[in-house]
Each structure stands twice: as structure tokens, then as C-alpha cells.
């Protein structure tokens, strides 16, 4: 009985050891310094382990190990052995260009909130989207404008607001 328990404990530790590099790779993927070749090699190393261990744990371990490589989306092209992953560091699609310290503030002057999307804080990005939708986006409100560099605009309210909307719709239609 106790021997069996010790054996299972040993297997569990072995899995921990095997999984650690995978966890490292995943965190690197999240940090944007992806290394798909490393991920693949870890997955290949895990495959036989899962076959051996699977029956001991009622198949759970094998299911978990088999699920891991799927993390790489089926649609995405698998990178073939590229010896120089250095080139990746420059540009990542869909990521905002962060400054050295990783945090920048909203592009709108005097706002001071941290930027969330395209250099704008959540509220000002909403405003930008609304202005864009109603044909009123100011030329200064560019994507990824430098922090604290764009003058906020004051929107008309009430009747003036609907007039302005109508004028914008006609003027730029
Ligand atoms: Zn803002």
C-alpha cells in the first residue's frame, strides 16, 4: 500500500519537473517572446510520459498532457525551425507599443489615466470611437498619439449636439 503511494508521489514529482519548462514557455509566450520550437519540444517530451503515466491516474494525466499542445491554435501556421527568434522582438500584431517602463498614460492632455487602447484610456478611446462613428474624429486624435499630447474636445450638448451631428453627417457624408 505505502509503496504504491510512494510510487505515485514519485510520478507526481516527475510530472511537476516535466511541466516546469512548459510553464516557462507559456509565460514567455504571454510576454511576447514566443518560442514555438521550445514549446513543441516540450510537448514531444511530454507525449511518451503521458502514455506511461496515463493508466495510473485514470487517464486524467494523459488527457491533460494531450491538451497542452493544442494551445497553439490549429489555424496558425507552425513555425519551422527558425534559428533566429531575435527578429520577433520588434513588432507584435495587436499589441500596443509600450514604453520602456511598460506603462504609458492617455494621449489626451491632462487626462493622466493609463492608456488602454491605441494610446488612449478606456474613456477617451470610447470617445474616439464615438467621434469616428459620427464623422467627427479630429485629425489630432491619431492612433498611438504620444502620451499627454492631444487636446481634448468639448462636445456640444442638447440641441447643439444634434445640430452638430447632423452637420457632420452631411458635411463628410
Ligand atoms: Zn484619457
Amino acid at each position: 500500500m505505502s509503496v504504491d503511494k510512494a510510487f505515485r508521489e514519485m510520478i507526481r514529482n516527475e510530472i511537476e519537473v516535466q511541466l516546469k519548462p512548459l510553464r516557462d514557455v507559456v509565460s514567455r509566450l504571454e510576454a511576447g517572446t514566443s518560442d514555438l520550437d521550445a514549446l513543441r519540444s516540450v510537448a514531444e517530451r511530454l507525449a511518451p510520459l503521458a502514455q506511461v503515466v496515463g493508466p495510473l491516474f485514470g487517464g486524467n494525466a494523459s488527457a491533460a498532457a494531450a491538451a497542452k499542445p493544442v494551445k497553439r491554435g490549429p489555424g496558425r501556421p507552425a513555425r519551422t525551425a527558425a534559428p533566429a527568434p531575435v527578429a520577433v522582438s520588434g513588432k507584435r500584431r495587436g499589441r500596443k507599443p509600450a514604453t520602456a517602463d511598460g506603462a504609458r498614460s492617455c494621449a489626451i492632455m491632462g487626462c493622466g489615466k493609463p492608456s488602454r487602447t491605441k494610446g488612449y484610456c478606456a474613456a477617451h478611446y470610447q470617445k474616439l470611437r464615438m467621434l469616428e462613428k459620427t464623422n467627427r474624429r479630429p485629425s489630432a486624435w491619431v492612433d498611438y498619439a504620444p502620451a499627454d499630447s492631444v487636446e481634448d474636445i468639448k462636445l456640444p450638448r442638447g440641441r447643439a449636439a444634434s445640430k452638430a451631428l447632423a452637420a457632420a453627417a452631411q458635411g463628410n457624408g
Side-chain angles (χ1 to χ4, degrees):
M1 272 304 171
S2 63
V3 174
D4 181 51
K5 199 176 170 194
F7 180 64
R8 279 168 189 257
E9 201 58 48
M10 195 186 81
I11 296 289
R12 226 184 284 271
N13 288 338
E14 182 61 19
I15 292 171
E16 271 305 304
V17 170
Q18 296 285 342
L19 279 179
K20 191 176 179 301
L22 181 64
R23 247 185 257 124
D24 292 347
V25 170
V26 169
S27 64
R28 255 184 293 155
L29 279 170
E30 282 167 358
T33 55
S34 78
D35 193 349
L36 290 177
D37 290 320
L39 182 62
R40 195 180 303 129
S41 76
V42 172
E44 277 162 8
R45 265 169 59 199
L46 280 174
L49 179 76
Q51 278 176 1
V52 173
V53 170
L56 284 173
F57 293 89
N60 281 345
S62 87
K68 283 299 193 299
V70 184
K71 238 181 150 56
R72 192 178 65 212
R76 266 198 266 165
R79 234 151 46 100
T80 45
V86 191
V88 186
S89 61
K91 197 175 180 182
R92 288 249 125 214
R93 211 149 49 105
R95 289 265 178 158
K96 65 186 172 200
T99 47
D101 57 10
R104 51 173 286 168
S105 51
C106 181
I108 299 298
M109 274 187 236
C111 173
K113 293 201 191 78
S115 80
R116 294 280 296 280
T117 311
K118 296 185 175 181
Y120 294 82
C121 73
H124 280 120
Y125 186 66
Q126 285 291 318
K127 191 168 178 180
L128 186 157
R129 289 279 303 269
M130 185 273 289
L131 289 168
E132 195 171 41
K133 233 185 265 180
T134 54
N135 272 325
R136 293 182 294 172
R137 182 172 176 172
S139 55
W141 287 46
V142 293
D143 289 358
Y144 304 110
D148 212 31
S149 74
V150 178
E151 198 169 349
D152 199 1
I153 63 164
K154 207 167 178 185
L155 292 166
R157 293 187 177 273
R159 197 173 298 189
S162 34
K163 263 190 197 167
L165 269 174
Q170 278 186 354
N172 296 329

